[in-house]
Amino acid sequence: MTTPLDPSQAMRYSRHIMLAGFDLEKQERLLDSSILLVGLGGLGCAAAQYLVASGVGEITLVDDDVVDLSNIQRQILHGESDVGTSKCASAKQSLLQLNSQVSIHTIETRMDAEQLAEQLKKNDIVIDCTDNLASRNLLNQVCWQNQKPLVSGAAIRLEGQLFSVIPTKNTACYACLSHFFGEQNLSCSEAGVLSPLVGIVGSYQAIEAIKILTDFGEPLVNKLMLIDAMTTQSRVFELLKNPGCKVCG
Ligand SMILES: [Zn+2]
């Protein structure tokens, strides 16, 4: 049973509700959903603002970092006056300006597998907005063990990547993909990243999350989307499960 919308919510979310196939029922499901969003960099800032404005019920923001002057070129929940403050506090303040009805929790530590598993019990989905392979692999593993969906995004230079995992549908997992990468693991601080590209990938992550949470449309599972901002093109590749995958095989 979902909680019915009150009249002001029905007005606020009317542009969702009028979408064919979305309707009141999907919006109510969204309002009852809880999201664990890990990483408040460029991807996390973009994904969080659309998820909060869209009317999710609860969101838990995870980041142990403070805002640096070099972040605000693309991490748009943080402004000039936030430099030196925690990303969690800065993001929460900005998000509450967008939608004060969403319950916003913050965790300012880097969680281990056990702490993540504890959080997954309270959340319906994980949005991976981290910036390194070790964190992505850990989130994937814990999501698979707890059978919770994962939306993974990445952006570096002018290249973006998007991928969703739904363990209950036995889709390919992030490890099926990441074993191709080997140890190569560049970060934006080493390679750079074009600001609006993180907005595109983060917005796609919000779209994926909304679709998976409400069972609307077709999520990007068993497929990998690569975005090339240099040529403004995207391509989607089939991604088969790796039968020898250490996580999902
Ligand atoms: Zn796998």
Side-chain angles (χ1 to χ4, degrees):
M1 271 297 282
T2 50
T3 320
L5 272 70
D6 67 33
S8 95
Q9 288 174 315
M11 175 59 76
R12 178 173 198 145
Y13 303 117
S14 56
R15 270 42 169 191
H16 275 172
I17 294 164
M18 65 178 65
L19 288 173
F22 200 83
D23 221 319
L24 272 172
E25 188 249 334
K26 303 289 190 203
Q27 187 64 44
E28 286 169 358
R29 280 167 75 165
L30 207 52
L31 284 162
D32 274 346
S33 65
S34 50
I35 293 176
L36 185 69
L37 185 143
V38 187
L40 288 170
L43 302 173
C45 284
Q49 66 171 350
Y50 279 110
L51 290 167
V52 164
S54 292
V56 299
E58 283 186 53
I59 189 164
T60 300
L61 310 170
V62 185
D63 203 304
D64 66 347
D65 207 1
V66 296
V67 180
D68 184 81
L69 183 61
S70 67
N71 296 150
I72 60 174
Q73 155 255 21
R74 66 196 177 283
Q75 302 181 10
I76 56 168
L77 292 176
H78 318 305
E80 292 171 3
S81 62
D82 299 314
V83 171
T85 63
S86 88
K87 288 190 178 178
C88 274
S90 159
K92 181 174 179 177
Q93 192 182 28
S94 301
L95 292 169
L96 284 172
Q97 295 279 321
L98 288 173
N99 194 341
S100 62
Q101 296 176 355
V102 177
S103 299
I104 302 176
H105 317 288
T106 58
I107 298 175
E108 297 193 23
T109 54
R110 201 162 283 217
M111 290 189 286
D112 61 20
E114 203 176 323
Q115 291 165 312
L116 278 169
E118 202 52 43
Q119 280 301 316
L120 280 200
K121 288 181 191 160
K122 300 181 241 173
N123 286 283
D124 301 315
I125 194 167
V126 175
I127 317 295
D128 178 2
C129 302
T130 62
D131 60 357
N132 64 85
L133 199 57
S135 298
R136 290 194 188 119
N137 280 327
L138 176 65
L139 283 172
N140 177 63
Q141 190 186 333
V142 177
C143 280
W144 195 271
Q145 283 164 351
N146 291 274
Q147 297 284 291
K148 290 290 170 85
L150 170 74
V151 179
S152 172
I156 196 163
R157 293 178 292 245
L158 282 90
E159 299 143 34
Q161 177 185 303
L162 184 77
F163 180 64
S164 297
V165 183
I166 305 183
T168 53
K169 295 188 176 167
N170 198 28
T171 67
C173 82
Y174 188 75
C176 293
L177 171 71
S178 66
H179 81 282
F180 292 119
F181 302 159
E183 289 307 304
Q184 158 209 37
N185 188 17
L186 276 176
S187 72
C188 304
S189 59
E190 295 156 323
V193 64
L194 191 70
S195 172
L197 176 65
V198 296
I200 291 170
V201 177
S203 299
Y204 262 129
Q205 287 181 280
I207 289 175
E208 283 295 291
I210 290 169
K211 290 191 306 183
I212 294 170
L213 286 165
T214 62
D215 198 17
F216 179 68
E218 282 176 42
L220 190 73
V221 291
N222 298 318
K223 291 181 186 117
L224 169 70
M225 183 186 214
L226 296 180
I227 298 162
D228 180 3
M230 192 69 98
T231 57
T232 315
Q233 291 189 61
S234 60
R235 291 179 70 186
V236 176
F237 298 88
E238 290 294 320
L239 184 77
L240 297 175
K241 263 178 98 79
N242 169 18
C245 178
K246 289 193 175 80
V247 176
C248 73

